Amino acid sequence: MALKTPEEFIQSIADLDLEIYLFGEKVDDYVDHPVIRPSLNCIAMTYELARQPEYEDLMLATSHLTGTKVNRFTHVHQSTEDLVKKVKMQRLLGQKTGSCFQRCVGMDAINALWSVTHDTDQAKGTDYHERFKKYVLFLQENDLVADGAMTDPKGDRGKSPSQQADPDMYLHVVEKRDDGIVVRGAKAHQTGSCNSHEIMVMPTIAMRPGDEDYAVSFSTPSNAKGISYIYGRQSCDTRKLEGNELDVGNSRFGGHEALMVFDDVFVPWDRVYMCGEIEFSGSLVERFGGYHRQSYGGCKVGVGDVLIGAASLAAEYNGAARASHVKDKIIEMTHLNETLFACGVACSAEGHQTAAGNYEIDMLLANVCKQNVTRFPYEIARLAEDLAGGLMVTMPSAQDLAGEKTGPLVEKYLVGVGDTPVIDRMRVLRLIENLTLGTAAVGYRTESMHGAGSPQAQRIMIARQSNLDHKKELARELARVGKPWEKAKVKVPTVVSAG
Amino acid sequence: MALKTPEEFIQSIADLDLEIYLFGEKVDDYVDHPVIRPSLNCIAMTYELARQPEYEDLMLATSHLTGTKVNRFTHVHQSTEDLVKKVKMQRLLGQKTGSCFQRCVGMDAINALWSVTHDTDQAKGTDYHERFKKYVLFLQENDLVADGAMTDPKGDRGKSPSQQADPDMYLHVVEKRDDGIVVRGAKAHQTGSCNSHEIMVMPTIAMRPGDEDYAVSFSTPSNAKGISYIYGRQSCDTRKLEGNELDVGNSRFGGHEALMVFDDVFVPWDRVYMCGEIEFSGSLVERFGGYHRQSYGGCKVGVGDVLIGAASLAAEYNGAARASHVKDKIIEMTHLNETLFACGVACSAEGHQTAAGNYEIDMLLANVCKQNVTRFPYEIARLAEDLAGGLMVTMPSAQDLAGEKTGPLVEKYLVGVGDTPVIDRMRVLRLIENLTLGTAAVGYRTESMHGAGSPQAQRIMIARQSNLDHKKELARELARVGKPWEKAKVKVPTVVSAG
Amino acid sequence: MALKTPEEFIQSIADLDLEIYLFGEKVDDYVDHPVIRPSLNCIAMTYELARQPEYEDLMLATSHLTGTKVNRFTHVHQSTEDLVKKVKMQRLLGQKTGSCFQRCVGMDAINALWSVTHDTDQAKGTDYHERFKKYVLFLQENDLVADGAMTDPKGDRGKSPSQQADPDMYLHVVEKRDDGIVVRGAKAHQTGSCNSHEIMVMPTIAMRPGDEDYAVSFSTPSNAKGISYIYGRQSCDTRKLEGNELDVGNSRFGGHEALMVFDDVFVPWDRVYMCGEIEFSGSLVERFGGYHRQSYGGCKVGVGDVLIGAASLAAEYNGAARASHVKDKIIEMTHLNETLFACGVACSAEGHQTAAGNYEIDMLLANVCKQNVTRFPYEIARLAEDLAGGLMVTMPSAQDLAGEKTGPLVEKYLVGVGDTPVIDRMRVLRLIENLTLGTAAVGYRTESMHGAGSPQAQRIMIARQSNLDHKKELARELARVGKPWEKAKVKVPTVVSAG
Amino acid sequence: MALKTPEEFIQSIADLDLEIYLFGEKVDDYVDHPVIRPSLNCIAMTYELARQPEYEDLMLATSHLTGTKVNRFTHVHQSTEDLVKKVKMQRLLGQKTGSCFQRCVGMDAINALWSVTHDTDQAKGTDYHERFKKYVLFLQENDLVADGAMTDPKGDRGKSPSQQADPDMYLHVVEKRDDGIVVRGAKAHQTGSCNSHEIMVMPTIAMRPGDEDYAVSFSTPSNAKGISYIYGRQSCDTRKLEGNELDVGNSRFGGHEALMVFDDVFVPWDRVYMCGEIEFSGSLVERFGGYHRQSYGGCKVGVGDVLIGAASLAAEYNGAARASHVKDKIIEMTHLNETLFACGVACSAEGHQTAAGNYEIDMLLANVCKQNVTRFPYEIARLAEDLAGGLMVTMPSAQDLAGEKTGPLVEKYLVGVGDTPVIDRMRVLRLIENLTLGTAAVGYRTESMHGAGSPQAQRIMIARQSNLDHKKELARELARVGKPWEKAKVKVPTVVSAG
């Protein structure tokens, strides 16, 4: 095994010759396309930091399959310490990219499939776990990016997969052959899919009898015949076409989601990990969801660190940094951000070993973590916009700064405190815009809301995991419910004089 | 006097031949420029609705100067009823445009200058009020759009205007001549300035001795020699260049802010309303701020109505509208939105007549109104993003929908409930994106935060207006502070048996 | 007609010889009982302020029945100005008593019954309105306190009145006689009932066919044969028995609720205002609820003023008043309190005339008002507890201050800033305790939550009043839903060099 | 060493013959006094659970001094696992007592003094650590309760200890003798002090030159000559005198605070751990505060569990448990409560070893934990009051339930769903009242606010620990601040047709 260099990673993605559509047209040179490249740079960072000694402890892990060091993104968690390091690695990468760096989905899918294939085999006598173990070995040995694909388009949400007018609204098996299966459908909102070597497909809901064809999980090369990608449109995406790092805010890094279409894709049996076992689809969804809800207690915190830093700089640049309300707002942002981190750490530290041997987060706390993630980044963003000031959205463009007539005016009137260069003040404001309204807001806001399951999904899990009966028993015990009541001992409150 | 038609308004703006820069280049055909036109359409709506009998009661008012009907945006408020109608007119326009419609700034400047010029004359023996009365008559008779320009670039916020390294950081008088004054400087974040016939300039802070040259207020045609505009860059602005109403979200309407530069502009004396009277600059800022903080209790509520409606549609289209949590979130959005409206109405209904005869809002409640506006639209937006789902930010582009290969895939996989056309589902999601991340987010979020003064400005005013001494007196009275204490009457609590 | 003096009011209540039980025993001298008297003092304040010229404008109104001045609490609102003055009167009384002053319930019942009796007569040919008019005249001419009694015990909330195991879980008609009706049941949580001359009974929910006997509304003297009261227990109630104004916090004023039992009470027909007209029970509940939800935008704001004042004093006394976080918390309390007031004013100013001629609040805004009241007083209380410091709940008792050994120690160690007497510091902290944990917390917290309907009741009304269809139409119009889409005009975003 | 039984513990406290004042009088039989006993029962529970095998893992720890099992409350933490178990033990005890169980203060003082004495010795050549080690051994071997006493009365907060008008406003050394020191002053808000065998005294702020006499830390038997206690008054405390478990809500358990007075108390040198080393007083405050802020992520969560359970029961008893808004509120309470737990766990799991060998929590996360504790219990309490309904505060008393006439009426009209006995419904409502307004609200609300430092104290620590410079550096790196800007590459956005 050899860890890839960032350059090797990018070349390997280029070599896949994926079928990616952007703005309605097929993109051939996608690794060099200005809209797409920042997203690749994010994943390249997961390779780059893995090569730096100072980050080795977080970025690498010792494979329990081979005993060699692997990138943690391909690791099967062997301890709660591994779970905590995962969260810290994610915070680090959020700090370094200010973006969604996309490689977590696969890591979380690996760990969910690890235990679900084991449980399925135990119950059904299948051999999915052995197949999956080989696949993980393959990922580790080649240091690959494997996407986890779960969310189907869903059509009418009031109907089950098999009840949909169009049977392809949920990805399903259309043919079982001796050598494998053929699948059709799509996966929506696929974070990082166009930067991945491999795709691990999972069902998106607990399936019921009649939906067996939809209870399917497998992996496939991302460039398998029949797979195409429609690149999602993001706020301010075309600023990256303007040759203009300034207005992009964060010019080198970004994330993406795509609609991934499976048009009768063939999958050989040794890459199939579920095929009809409807009773295990729910577990797979829950466990993947659980790991991914943990993830957000790391990655979004790292991005939050960047936003807090940028808001502080913005306040400094206009001379307001010492105002007590400014300092208090930065404290509040920090407090909220660290609360998210605490949740990420706690659900990790409270993890437990599964029957399959790997470690799983505490499910209740992981859902609590994500539920907070659906709220606090919005408030952190609101406070950042408060500190940034209105200039963030009324500021002239980079073209104005470069313009013959307008350039000097922008230089003159956007001056801040001391000798801060106007270009730097603009850069920091554009970074805040990027995170709160621009391309990165997709990751910092909407993904915080809907990634790893929408808020209501966590509330359902919290209710399920909360052991309310135990709490009621505690209350009954203290209130002495059901105990006899000694009416005769009741005295009437009156007061006698002290004198 | 004749009320203008929308078409006449647009032609009149075209005729001004303003010096507007966009993306570093001067725009000649600005009224037809795809980035700029939606902003003009908003103001045109203030003319259009004024001609519709069903809205006449809100849109028109009877001028106290002429007794004839004028557009309410040029009216001097004559009663608390006028103040309430102003707020309702603003809600209506927010509903019709889903944008900042920009004409309020001038209305609020008119009403602030009306009383401040009067007070200045009383104290200083000047004749500003008479001049200003003539100017208002001119605006009413020609049904003009007059922008109010207050915010200076400010440079180092720790320093006063005259202490700045560059004296132009605050707009100031550079020459006093027999026939008028010459001014230099800039006004930032100028909402609607490129759509205005006239500009009313006001100082941005309370001035102190030494800053007399900065205590200047005047009006000028927007195309006066020496005035130029640098059009502010907005999130997703260039989508309007794609010929593509779909991805714009709200293709017909929008707002804008510009950096307005005054390069030695001449103003004749009959258009000067303050010149050196530093002791009245604070009042002018407070009163304009007060009126404008009231305004937000109308306009943002109207935009909120659109966002609530759009979020409801999005939930309907994917079949989730009947879920109890969805219904509850819509109730919460409505509750927050109507709380803002209540504040807008209350500060109007509790208004009072000024010494100059016009009506002013209740200052405490107007500041409370705006303070809520710095919070609730963000929460309404968060809930809208919750209901919209992740598709809002991962959705393929209009170009994909139009693409030969991609079009059918988008049509197939973005299907929602029943027979909702995919294009309509996409349109509604793009409208939500527009309001929460796109061009309209500038108005609905950041302007809610910083327009009419940043949050801390309202907190200072709330503290100043809260009459804390009276509240302390109430507490002292009830707690009997300072009264003698009858120690001898104290009894020890014990209890005697009832039996 | 003559307005009563406070003393006449108290004597008149004493003369009623009500059957009141407190701590399981009948109380004979209830107007002088230390637990009960503060509650009477609150209502007495409604008589006292009505006699003070400075409050006349708020406290008195001109009866539309007689043209004479009556206490506003017995008035039928004749204008939106009346509605606004009602709210201001309530704020004033909250300020003067720091308590629930209880007389509002009847005022709100009068105005709800005024229009419902009219509507019933129009639909059913009954003569309830004429009867009720005579009753109001009687109340006004004798300046009486009339309680409004709505909430039934309800038993199993999953069952309708007639389905309950015990038919008395909702108050109902047990006999119709030639001269009147006989009723049985109870009304729970009856604010101020033991201080009232008269009781107006109303049903508590919209009734359905089969529940005719429960659709009953009438008035009765509070001392009618068969009526008894069980006085509700409040937090810290027995401190009032300790002869010790200090630990009570607010020694002169308080509120109360009682369980009112109707044990076969006879009501003559001329005091019956609904008897079987199930289709009007829902309107009566909604309108009474609406008026009472408005009320909370006044009374709770007045109590909030006291709490803000007390918290400010507490901070002053320990030398922390100038800390920026202390000032900011007082601003936040003020902001929240004034937001409630704004809602109270707005639903009043936006009121409308009913078919019966009196004025009704805006139903949507009144429900929004109350919904905020279920939240903000809790946050105001939390901030007050922050400013008060832990001493509020760890402080020695009045008995300790009076104690021979302990007194000097308390005097020594509870010293605050400057020469503030220790007794005054303790008084203010006990007042805050009273409002946040003690007897007044019943009114300021729990009543804010559940009075005039629990939070969910307002949410249902907000949903019903929000006109969501209109909002969806606004969104459709702006998003151009259903319009043809000009696919051909879509252009691909690329960028050409400026050069 | 032998672990004490609960009975032995209570007897040992009785044997101390402490000088406790309650309601101004000295209490001789304090362990049997109905107001005081519930507080002793709480600490007795820390002995009782330690004897139950199922809780042994949490309640006991292996002393690093002796290698034997000791009650964890006397343990010096040896690992992050110890820190996590501490939090879980606290949650358990909160669940079992529904109260503040008081013994944590000493545990946190032990661990803070452990490392501070070590650091002082290193810097100053003193031998405090060895003395303190012997003291801990003494506590462990005798299984004692040692209180930690920090908060001084403080007088005027704008002045330092030595500047106060009365030098005793901060506890200080009045005499240094060969055999020890004599101290005078007081400690306020002393949780559990009247139930403790020993008191560990610490300074309350960082001391500066001139305040050497105030930089003093020592331990003393709680019954040393010159120490007296004035028992703090709590909301509803005298209900415990009514012989009436019902209205108390939680009749067996409670907490207390006292004002502890030191009137020239002698302390031998071997019990002195700081005496004039002003530069270490700040560390001691911070470390004790840090441990104690961690504690609240356990104990308050346990009490929250009880409140959630009680609110669920209340909703069940009145037939509302299946309403979606009720279920959602219970989810929200759970979510908030578990967020606190996550913070408690995280600051523990992220702990580190000190130079003295014991383990310390992560300071930033511990402060974040406590800051959330100043907010969420208030919201949990608000939601509990929502679910409880108004009956919680309008309910007749236990005396009414026992009354001849009133008893049957209460039994009849307070009936809930099915066959829930009325007494049980009342018990659960009184438990909620106890936690939100009554004696336990002192622990669940005010102590959550002010215990272990008021909210602003945590904010200062969060600011200090947040490493804002690192965050700013992250932002600068991504925004490319200071990098050259390639103006020439800027292109103007235009769009060419796809056709």
Side-chain angles (χ1 to χ4, degrees), chain A residues 264-334:
Chain A
D264 290 354
V265 174
F266 172 74
V267 183
W269 281 114
D270 66 338
R271 289 292 194 250
V272 175
Y273 315 118
M274 177 182 292
C275 191
E277 294 82 4
I278 51 172
E279 59 273 52
F280 288 92
S281 57
S283 295
L284 186 48
V285 173
E286 271 186 24
R287 291 182 199 174
F288 171 75
Y291 282 117
H292 209 46
R293 289 164 198 182
Q294 168 209 25
S295 289
Y296 282 31
C299 63
K300 300 308 177 200
V301 179
V303 179
D305 287 331
V306 174
L307 187 50
I308 293 167
S312 301
L313 286 177
E316 254 178 49
Y317 289 169
N318 67 20
R322 281 185 305 277
S324 67
H325 77 95
V326 170
K327 288 190 287 187
D328 198 62
K329 282 162 189 165
I330 291 170
I331 290 172
E332 183 64 18
M333 294 166 85
T334 304

Side-chain angles (χ1 to χ4, degrees), chain B residues 115-432:
Chain B
S115 64
V116 172
T117 51
H118 174 274
D119 293 356
T120 310
D121 289 357
Q122 294 293 314
K124 316 282 282 194
T126 46
D127 69 337
Y128 293 135
H129 191 60
E130 211 49 44
R131 292 182 197 172
F132 190 67
K133 195 181 288 184
K134 282 182 195 145
Y135 180 62
V136 173
L137 193 63
F138 162 69
L139 296 177
Q140 289 183 347
E141 291 192 332
N142 295 284
D143 197 10
L144 298 179
V145 177
D147 188 31
M150 182 166 272
T151 311
D152 294 276
K154 295 199 190 93
D156 183 342
R157 289 172 193 226
K159 294 179 178 164
S160 78
S162 55
Q163 292 170 337
Q164 300 285 329
D166 178 347
D168 303 341
M169 285 301 100
Y170 289 74
L171 189 143
H172 60 119
V173 178
V174 290
E175 188 187 354
K176 287 189 198 175
R177 298 176 4 194
D178 283 354
D179 52 350
I181 59 178
V182 178
V183 297
R184 191 189 302 149
K187 292 288 181 179
H189 324 306
Q190 290 310 304
T191 301
S193 55
C194 301
N195 301 340
S196 297
H197 306 95
E198 287 277 324
I199 311 288
M200 284 175 281
V201 169
M202 300 167 282
T204 196
I205 52 168
M207 297 292 171
R208 282 170 298 189
D211 292 335
E212 282 77 6
D213 287 344
Y214 296 88
V216 60
S217 177
F218 58 87
S219 63
T220 173
S222 55
N223 62 351
K225 188 168 174 328
I227 297 183
S228 59
Y229 303 85
I230 306 180
Y231 208 84
R233 165 137 239 193
Q234 295 184 328
S235 174
C236 300
D237 47 9
T238 56
R239 287 198 194 173
K240 292 185 275 190
L241 296 172
E242 297 175 19
N244 161 17
E245 69 170 48
L246 174 56
D247 283 0
V248 177
N250 179 354
S251 56
R252 289 167 299 157
F253 300 104
H256 81 270
E257 274 87 20
L259 177 66
M260 197 189 315
V261 178
F262 292 76
D263 187 10
D264 290 354
V265 174
F266 171 75
V267 183
W269 282 113
D270 63 339
R271 289 289 193 252
V272 175
Y273 316 118
M274 176 182 292
C275 191
E277 295 82 3
I278 51 170
E279 60 272 53
F280 288 92
S281 58
S283 295
L284 185 48
V285 173
E286 272 187 25
R287 292 183 198 174
F288 172 74
Y291 282 117
H292 210 45
R293 289 164 198 183
Q294 167 208 28
S295 288
Y296 282 31
C299 63
K300 299 308 178 200
V301 179
V303 179
D305 287 331
V306 173
L307 187 50
I308 293 167
S312 301
L313 285 176
E316 255 178 47
Y317 289 170
N318 67 20
R322 281 184 306 276
S324 67
H325 76 95
V326 170
K327 287 189 289 186
D328 198 62
K329 283 161 188 164
I330 292 170
I331 290 172
E332 184 64 17
M333 295 165 85
T334 305
H335 168 67
L336 295 172
N337 203 42
E338 297 294 339
T339 299
L340 299 180
F341 184 58
C343 293
V345 167
C347 70
S348 306
E350 289 293 294
H352 59 275
Q353 194 167 24
T354 71
N358 67 338
Y359 272 70
E360 194 174 279
I361 64 293
D362 180 277
M363 275 291 170
L364 175 56
L365 295 182
N367 278 280
V368 164
C369 177
K370 174 68 211 309
Q371 182 78 182
N372 282 322
V373 172
T374 68
R375 301 174 178 180
F376 294 172
Y378 282 82
E379 178 64 5
I380 294 170
R382 192 184 74 87
L383 291 167
E385 291 180 47
D386 184 346
L387 296 181
L391 191 58
M392 180 182 97
V393 297
T394 69
M395 196 160 56
S397 63
Q399 289 83 357
D400 291 311
L401 182 61
E404 195 175 346
K405 159 88 193 216
T406 48
L409 291 172
V410 175
E411 287 277 4
K412 175 181 173 76
Y413 285 113
L414 261 58
V415 135
V417 78
D419 51 2
T420 308
V422 163
I423 177 71
D424 285 343
R425 193 179 176 206
M426 293 177 78
R427 278 166 161 152
V428 166
L429 291 175
R430 286 292 179 217
L431 175 58
I432 301 175

Side-chain angles (χ1 to χ4, degrees), chain A residues 83 290 346-348 350-352 360-367 465:
Chain A
L83 291 170
C347 70
S348 305
E350 288 293 294
H352 59 275
E360 193 173 281
I361 65 294
D362 180 278
M363 275 290 168
L364 175 56
L365 295 182
N367 278 280
Q465 301 272 344

Side-chain angles (χ1 to χ4, degrees), chain A residues 4 61 64 83 156 180 238 240 242 326 386 425-426 442-443 448 460-461 463 470:
Chain A
K4 284 193 167 60
H64 77 300
L83 291 170
D156 182 343
T238 55
K240 291 185 277 191
E242 297 175 19
V326 170
D386 184 346
R425 192 177 178 209
M426 292 176 79
V442 170
S448 288
I460 290 166
M461 283 299 285
H470 176 55

Side-chain angles (χ1 to χ4, degrees), chain A residues 30-31 134 200 227 239 269 307 331 371 376 388 416 421 427:
Chain A
Y30 50 84
V31 303
K134 283 182 194 142
M200 285 175 281
I227 297 182
R239 287 198 193 173
W269 281 114
L307 187 50
I331 290 172
Q371 183 77 183
F376 294 172
R427 277 167 162 151

Side-chain angles (χ1 to χ4, degrees), chain C residues 247-391:
Chain C
D247 283 0
V248 177
N250 179 353
S251 55
R252 289 167 301 157
F253 300 104
H256 81 270
E257 274 87 19
L259 178 66
M260 195 188 317
V261 178
F262 292 76
D263 187 10
D264 289 355
V265 175
F266 172 74
V267 183
W269 283 113
D270 64 337
R271 289 293 193 251
V272 175
Y273 316 119
M274 177 182 291
C275 191
E277 293 82 4
I278 51 172
E279 60 271 52
F280 288 92
S281 57
S283 296
L284 185 48
V285 173
E286 273 187 23
R287 291 182 199 173
F288 171 75
Y291 282 117
H292 210 47
R293 289 164 198 181
Q294 168 209 25
S295 288
Y296 282 31
C299 63
K300 301 307 178 199
V301 179
V303 179
D305 287 331
V306 173
L307 187 51
I308 294 166
S312 302
L313 286 177
E316 254 178 49
Y317 290 169
N318 67 19
R322 282 185 305 276
S324 68
H325 77 95
V326 169
K327 288 190 286 187
D328 198 62
K329 283 162 189 164
I330 292 170
I331 290 171
E332 183 65 18
M333 294 166 85
T334 305
H335 168 67
L336 294 173
N337 203 42
E338 296 294 338
T339 299
L340 298 181
F341 185 58
C343 292
V345 166
C347 70
S348 304
E350 287 294 293
H352 59 275
Q353 193 167 25
T354 71
N358 66 336
Y359 272 70
E360 194 174 280
I361 66 291
D362 181 277
M363 275 290 168
L364 175 56
L365 295 182
N367 278 280
V368 163
C369 177
K370 174 65 209 312
Q371 184 76 183
N372 282 322
V373 171
T374 69
R375 300 174 177 181
F376 294 172
Y378 283 82
E379 179 63 4
I380 294 171
R382 191 183 76 86
L383 291 166
E385 293 180 44
D386 185 346
L387 296 180
L391 192 59

